[in-house]
Amino acid sequence: MTTAQRRRARVRAPELVGRGWLNTGNREIRLSDLRGKVVLLDFWSFCCINCLHVLDELRPLEAEFHDVLVTIGVHSPKFAHEAEAASLEAAVERYQVDHPVLDDPELTTWQNYAVKAWPTLVLVDPEGYVVHVAAGEGHLDALRQVVSEVVAEHDAKGTLHRGDGPYVAPPPAATELRFPAKAVLTPSNTLLVSDSAHHSLVELDTDGETVLRRIGTGERGRADGPRPTFSEPAGIALLPDHVAARVGYHAVVADTVNHLLRGLDLDTGEVTTVAGTGEQWRGGDTDGPAGAIDLTSPWDVAWWEPAGGVVVALAGNHTLGLFKPLEDRVERLAGTTVEGLHDGPAAEAFFAQTSGLAADGDRLWLVDSETSALRYLDADLTVHTAVGKGLFDFGHRDGPADQALLQHPLGVTVLPDGAVAVADTYNGAVRRYDPATGEVSTLVTDVAEPSDAVLVDGELVVVASAAHRLERPVAPGVRLVSGDAHRVKRPPSVIAPGEVELAVVFTPPTGQKLDDRFGPSTRLEVTSSPPGLLLEGAGTGTDLVRRLVVAEGFAEGVLHVVAQAASCTDDPAVEHPVCKLARQDWGVPVRVETGGPDRLPLMMGGLDEGI
């Protein structure tokens, strides 16, 4: 968007309203305090993998414009647990958020800015006007361009003030583990734990406390060798002996923020990179040589014999990958990249930020955190849901599986009796699902964000991530909890029955154009829950504007929208232009009302004066 276009769309930025502030030294911030600065509002939720991606995308931008740009994280929670002040404080530390954060549990500021998706970025100029909006990921270059233009304009006008912003770093905390993620029992009868916020692995005695060795320097990085570095590692999978003997490493580690799989030699502690390029997948090949395929936030890994390899929970694009160590190959195992809850053949199933895996013979159990669901993949590569209702329903309720509710689970463990234990993270509980009876019960409560569990000598050892330790629950036992059902507070978009225009707004930044050298530069995929909500308009096409026909007789539903746009440097003299792919997934809750709007705009990048 050019300077002239921004002037035509002069919209005063609403005030920042919420419950409180973090990373400001207990100081409340008003937009008037930030006059003279370029302000970047990052509407995020700490459950959301796309939001976590954006936190990392913004780090170089914040460093480059450190004296003129102030980033404000506006935390807009999806789940009830995220609305707790202590939970947000822990998340800000866990993900090393190095800018002020507004706690907005009632979504007041979210609604004032008409936000419709996590994550959404809003750029405000030094005079307090909104100049750019972008939803989703992949906007770093566009933001850099717009910020550069705004800085130049206001430097010339004398309205730009350079200097430090309002960020105040919190005091550091010292614990042996910091936000551990996953654990496995090694063949040597020790516990190997991913110490996520310390960017390392820790081997513990089976008491869960005695440190035997630390693998990793503790610095964020991706170095191989005897002094390796990681970036927020999570899942760990042990390889079968015959596979380990041939490939030269015993375990595969999901190095989440590096978008890599790492191989670990348990004898020497040496680490090698075995899959991924280090770049985040944003479209393109998913099958090929392991070192040539981009991955996206691998969160957990598990060896599954029916697939002949390591299944990878690729939380970043809602799919399951398959890493075959003996073939040095990565493939797509299941999922379409659409975020949702849809069963059936693996290639057609929808997942939602799969975060935990556990193999049990011909069945691979998994938990999808964003749909609060327990699911499994069978040997015929068909996906089934045991517990879970969709993107916007959650709670803590036991009983028959079709009525039971979870809240953002991150881990699953097979129990000796064939039942599974679910690390029900945002409920602070460990739940039990019995496949034989279809009943859900509660084993343990009052655990600080359990993210995994492992069996040691028949006892359940729980990774209490937010308590920074492993815990052995005292005499865990089955009990029933009849808790409340919850729905996401996010207000639905009202639309009319009949014809509705869906318009995804994307404007390439100054100096770039849509890249149509190799075919259409944009892609739009639309589905709905329930499927009958849309009489017309579902499917995949290349136009970012789509005519939908909404069926009569539905009061509400969800539109699943996946959009992407490729843009490149707009200069014919440049032989190898810089090209970027912007992408966003929306799960848009809608309420259907006679007389409602017949246009549904979704911002992916730029400004839409019709919003």
Side-chain angles (χ1 to χ4, degrees), residues 16 26 64 78 103 112 114 120 132 136 173 279 293 367 389 423 428 475 482 508 548 568-569 578 587 590:
L16 303 176
N26 296 318
E64 181 178 350
K78 173 181 176 180
D103 183 6
N112 289 345
T120 291
H132 187 77
E279 296 295 321
I293 300 297
V367 284
K389 297 184 179 299
S482 181
L548 308 179
C568 287
T569 303
V578 176
V590 294

Side-chain angles (χ1 to χ4, degrees), residues 281-368:
W281 181 89
R282 297 194 186 280
D285 292 338
T286 58
D287 299 7
I293 300 297
D294 296 339
L295 307 178
T296 176
S297 294
W299 203 279
D300 203 5
V301 282
W303 177 270
W304 190 39
E305 193 62 40
V310 176
V311 178
V312 186
L314 293 170
N317 67 0
H318 317 297
T319 66
L320 301 181
L322 180 64
F323 168 52
K324 295 181 175 181
L326 296 177
E327 300 177 26
D328 191 29
R329 181 176 174 80
V330 169
E331 300 173 355
R332 170 78 57 81
L333 178 66
T336 67
T337 78
V338 174
E339 183 181 21
L341 186 69
H342 176 67
D343 291 343
E348 302 172 11
F350 296 172
F351 298 91
Q353 206 168 303
T354 305
S355 302
L357 301 169
D360 183 23
D362 287 345
R363 186 172 287 189
L364 179 74
W365 291 99
L366 60 99
V367 284
D368 276 357

Side-chain angles (χ1 to χ4, degrees), residues 175-412:
T175 53
E176 192 67 62
L177 302 176
R178 204 71 191 162
F179 298 105
K182 304 287 184 181
V184 295
L185 187 68
T186 73
S188 300
N189 202 38
T190 61
L191 286 165
L192 186 63
V193 182
S194 53
D195 192 6
S196 182
H198 284 155
H199 312 297
S200 58
L201 308 176
V202 176
E203 189 174 10
L204 303 173
D205 195 352
T206 51
D207 62 9
E209 298 178 358
T210 304
V211 176
L212 303 177
R213 63 172 167 169
R214 182 174 289 274
I215 300 168
T217 67
E219 297 296 320
R220 191 188 289 267
R222 51 172 293 185
D224 287 339
R227 286 181 51 79
T229 53
F230 301 88
S231 188
E232 299 178 32
I236 306 168
L238 298 175
L239 297 179
D241 291 343
H242 71 280
V243 176
R246 290 181 59 183
V247 299
Y249 51 90
H250 305 93
V252 173
V253 180
D255 195 4
T256 305
V257 177
N258 276 329
H259 311 294
L260 296 172
L261 299 183
R262 316 290 292 281
L264 170 65
D265 185 321
L266 287 172
D267 296 330
T268 66
E270 291 201 23
V271 169
T272 55
T273 297
V274 297
T277 65
E279 296 295 321
Q280 183 186 338
W281 181 89
R282 297 194 186 280
D285 292 338
T286 58
D287 299 7
I293 300 297
D294 296 339
L295 307 178
T296 176
S297 294
W299 203 279
D300 203 5
V301 282
W303 177 270
W304 190 39
E305 193 62 40
V310 176
V311 178
V312 186
L314 293 170
N317 67 0
H318 317 297
T319 66
L320 301 181
L322 180 64
F323 168 52
K324 295 181 175 181
L326 296 177
E327 300 177 26
D328 191 29
R329 181 176 174 80
V330 169
E331 300 173 355
R332 170 78 57 81
L333 178 66
T336 67
T337 78
V338 174
E339 183 181 21
L341 186 69
H342 176 67
D343 291 343
E348 302 172 11
F350 296 172
F351 298 91
Q353 206 168 303
T354 305
S355 302
L357 301 169
D360 183 23
D362 287 345
R363 186 172 287 189
L364 179 74
W365 291 99
L366 60 99
V367 284
D368 276 357
S369 58
E370 284 297 285
T371 50
S372 299
L374 171 65
R375 310 173 76 186
Y376 65 90
L377 185 64
D378 64 26
D380 293 330
L381 295 186
T382 302
V383 179
H384 309 264
T385 297
V387 181
K389 297 184 179 299
L391 283 167
F392 301 102
D393 295 278
F394 61 92
H396 188 164
R397 177 180 291 169
D398 290 330
D402 62 352
Q403 298 298 315
L405 295 169
L406 309 169
Q407 185 181 179
H408 196 81
L410 292 180
V412 59

Side-chain angles (χ1 to χ4, degrees), residues 511-523:
Q512 292 193 354
K513 65 177 181 178
L514 290 172
D515 178 22
D516 55 4
R517 292 172 300 160
F518 308 108
S521 57
T522 57
R523 181 180 184 274

